[in-house]
Amino acid sequence: MERRRILCAVSGGIAAYKTPELVRGLVRSGFDVRCAITASAARFVAPLALETVSGHRVRADLFDRAEEGEIDHIALADWAELVVVAPATANLLARMAIGMADDLVTTLLLATRAPLLVAPAMNVNMWRHPATRGNVEVLGRRGVRFIGPESGALACGWEGEGRMAEPARIVAEVTLALGPRTLAGERVVVTAGGTREPVDPVRSLTNRSSGKMGFAIAAEAARRGAEVVLVAGPSALPTPPGIRRIDVQTALEMRDAVLGEWPSARIVVMAAAVADFRPADRALQKIKKEDLPEGAAPSIALVRNPDILAEISALPRDGRVVVGFAAESHDVLDSARRKLERKGCDLIVANDISREQGGFDSDRNAVAFVWPGGPVEELALLPKTEVAAQLWDRIEKRLGALPRDAGAEPSAGASR
Ligand SMILES: Cc1cc2nc3c(=O)[nH]c(=O)nc-3n(C[C@H](O)[C@H](O)[C@H](O)COP(=O)(O)O)c2cc1C
């Protein structure tokens, strides 16, 4: 498949030392990346580093006949499907805002018709200066998209807004901007992670689910253009770009969130490991051993949690697709088949948590897709991102087989 083409423009800020990492991340994500740098940028980042990670000669000089001979600046501006400016200095933002074309980078930025994604980086006072604020506003009105800057300790010694967005975040934004839009217009709900059922104010019953699988599924749906709501149990994972996240703790909270989103969803993927049981009573104060007879331990009575997957699968489906997950330690496929029948969902993704590799907290997973009527597709051990892509390929096929107008209320469109 032809690689999508990205021009990375680099200006002269200290954050330019991160640009080779950004370019490497973009190349690893399958993009064809060419770099153009300002004269100041060449003081901060070695062109050779960018050349090595991009696999292309770095362009720096508008008037260099040899450089122009390879691909002239207008051809380069036309070649780009997206231009990423990272870092963008205060100086470059000013030059862009007034439409200057006094070096190669500004000339390219003026000549290109590709969308611009700009990652500013500068001292906090430069960022807050009314001149910079005005330039950002002008560029925003022109359709330029900004990513960051982020807050934190700055290289200049100040603290505050001005750090360039992390390369991984920029890569995710680019992927989102240029990915296939096969789920555009669809509204998706994904649950992820475990739930945490409180015993008292300091203790809880939980499980080992990290949420990585569900987050990968949500990220992939957003990348394909869906409007995604991620209902997440306690997790330190960052929210993938373009996603609305609802954080929950308990199975009951997760149920409320899912039922609340159900009416407007077309696809629901229940990847969360929801606790089957919760303590019957939650102690309002910490249970202390000093309050118990010497040597005694309290017993915790459990009650069943609602079965969210069964509950939503029993609702009128109206063209919706419901996918469940089954994490099993034995009789994996049989258990998954029984679960599929019992719950009445459209697909069960089964994974064997007894395997040494894959499963909880791993970056990889070996799953099987279990379909109604018996067919099973077993996948090899794959990165969870790839499992997510394979799952969406299957769901898209299934959606294609369903009448498009049946189902959820039409979405108002993605909110990003
Ligand atoms: C050590 C050093 C670090 C700098 N860091 C930044 C920066 O992070 N952001 C910025 O806007 N300017 C920064 N500057 C100032 C720019 O390099 C200067 O404005 C330059 O003219 C930018 O040129 P360009 O926009 O053509 O790349 C820095 C200058 C020096 C000497």
Side-chain angles (χ1 to χ4, degrees):
M1 221 165 60
E2 203 184 315
R3 293 189 295 160
R4 313 294 299 268
R5 301 178 304 274
I6 294 169
L7 174 63
C8 185
V10 191
S11 56
I14 185 71
Y17 81 89
K18 293 185 191 170
T19 309
E21 190 189 336
L22 166 65
V23 172
R24 187 160 173 267
L26 290 169
V27 170
R28 290 177 75 172
S29 297
F31 297 107
D32 191 3
V33 186
R34 289 174 181 262
C35 299
I37 65 176
T38 65
S40 310
R43 311 280 294 258
F44 292 95
V45 59
L48 184 59
L50 294 169
E51 226 151 74
T52 309
V53 286
S54 69
H56 291 293
R57 259 190 92 179
V58 167
R59 301 292 311 273
D61 188 349
L62 188 56
F63 299 103
D64 184 317
R65 302 297 299 155
E67 277 189 16
E68 281 285 294
E70 195 183 312
I71 175 169
D72 74 50
H73 64 277
I74 297 297
L76 184 55
D78 291 343
W79 171 88
E81 290 179 81
L82 180 84
V83 181
V84 179
V85 188
T89 57
N91 182 53
L92 184 61
L93 294 178
R95 292 193 291 149
M96 287 168 73
I98 55 171
M100 287 187 59
D102 60 344
D103 66 0
L104 176 70
V105 165
T106 46
T107 306
L108 287 168
L109 293 174
L110 207 56
T112 190
R113 294 169 58 191
L116 304 185
L117 181 63
V118 173
M122 64 198 70
N123 163 273
V124 58
N125 298 321
M126 290 169 86
W127 175 247
R128 284 190 189 149
H129 195 285
T132 305
R133 306 267 25 95
N135 292 331
V136 168
E137 202 189 309
V138 165
L139 292 169
R141 276 205 304 271
R142 240 182 250 157
V144 170
R145 273 183 50 205
F146 286 91
I147 175 163
E150 293 173 356
S151 289
L154 304 176
C156 56
W158 280 74
E159 187 80 29
E161 231 181 335
R163 287 164 65 95
M164 187 173 91
E166 285 306 316
R169 194 178 148 208
I170 302 176
V171 172
E173 281 291 336
V174 170
T175 311
L176 205 57
L178 282 183
R181 311 288 292 171
T182 41
L183 287 172
E186 301 293 0
R187 198 155 184 282
V188 168
V189 176
V190 179
T191 67
T195 55
R196 189 182 283 163
E197 310 294 336
V199 173
D200 68 14
V202 292
R203 304 180 181 94
S204 57
L205 297 181
T206 185
N207 60 58
R208 289 177 48 218
S209 171
S210 65
K212 285 181 182 170
M213 190 67 249
F215 275 62
I217 291 167
E220 180 64 19
R223 203 175 72 76
R224 295 179 183 214
E227 188 185 345
V228 183
V229 178
L230 174 63
V231 180
S235 168
L237 295 174
T239 310
I243 284 175
R244 179 158 68 86
R245 173 170 173 173
I246 302 175
D247 285 310
V248 297
Q249 297 276 326
T250 64
L252 290 174
E253 287 171 16
M254 187 167 277
R255 172 182 177 269
D256 287 350
V258 171
L259 289 178
E261 297 298 326
W262 167 265
S264 57
R266 179 133 192 263
I267 307 146
V268 181
V269 180
M270 302 279 293
V274 183
D276 289 329
F277 313 103
R278 68 177 183 277
D281 297 303
R282 174 187 179 170
L284 293 177
Q285 291 181 326
K286 183 181 170 190
I287 303 169
K288 285 172 163 288
K289 57 179 183 278
E290 295 79 16
D291 297 341
L292 299 167
E294 184 63 32
S299 51
I300 301 169
L302 299 176
V303 291
R304 285 178 86 121
N305 269 326
D307 184 334
I308 309 171
L309 180 58
E311 196 171 340
I312 61 166
S313 296
L315 293 172
R317 192 68 56 88
D318 291 337
R320 290 181 184 81
V321 172
V322 178
V323 178
F325 269 65
E328 306 289 350
S329 56
H330 56 282
D331 295 338
V332 178
L333 292 180
D334 280 343
S335 307
R337 275 195 200 98
R338 283 196 299 274
K339 187 166 183 176
L340 183 75
E341 271 169 35
R342 222 174 38 244
K343 314 240 174 179
C345 48
D346 298 286
L347 167 66
I348 287 278
V349 183
N351 65 324
D352 182 350
I353 52 167
S354 67
R355 289 174 60 118
E356 270 189 19
Q357 291 176 305
F360 287 142
D361 207 27
S362 165
D363 288 324
R364 298 196 291 171
N365 210 356
V367 305
F369 297 131
V370 181
W371 296 94
V376 171
E377 292 175 81
E378 287 190 70
L379 304 189
L381 183 66
L382 294 170
K384 285 181 173 170
T385 48
E386 179 56 28
V387 173
Q390 298 260 359
L391 174 62
W392 282 112
D393 287 348
R394 305 303 189 284
I395 296 174
E396 282 178 13
K397 256 196 207 144
R398 168 129 189 122
L399 283 176
L402 291 170
R404 173 79 207 232
D405 51 342
E409 295 154 9
S411 144
S415 55
R416 36 169 198 281

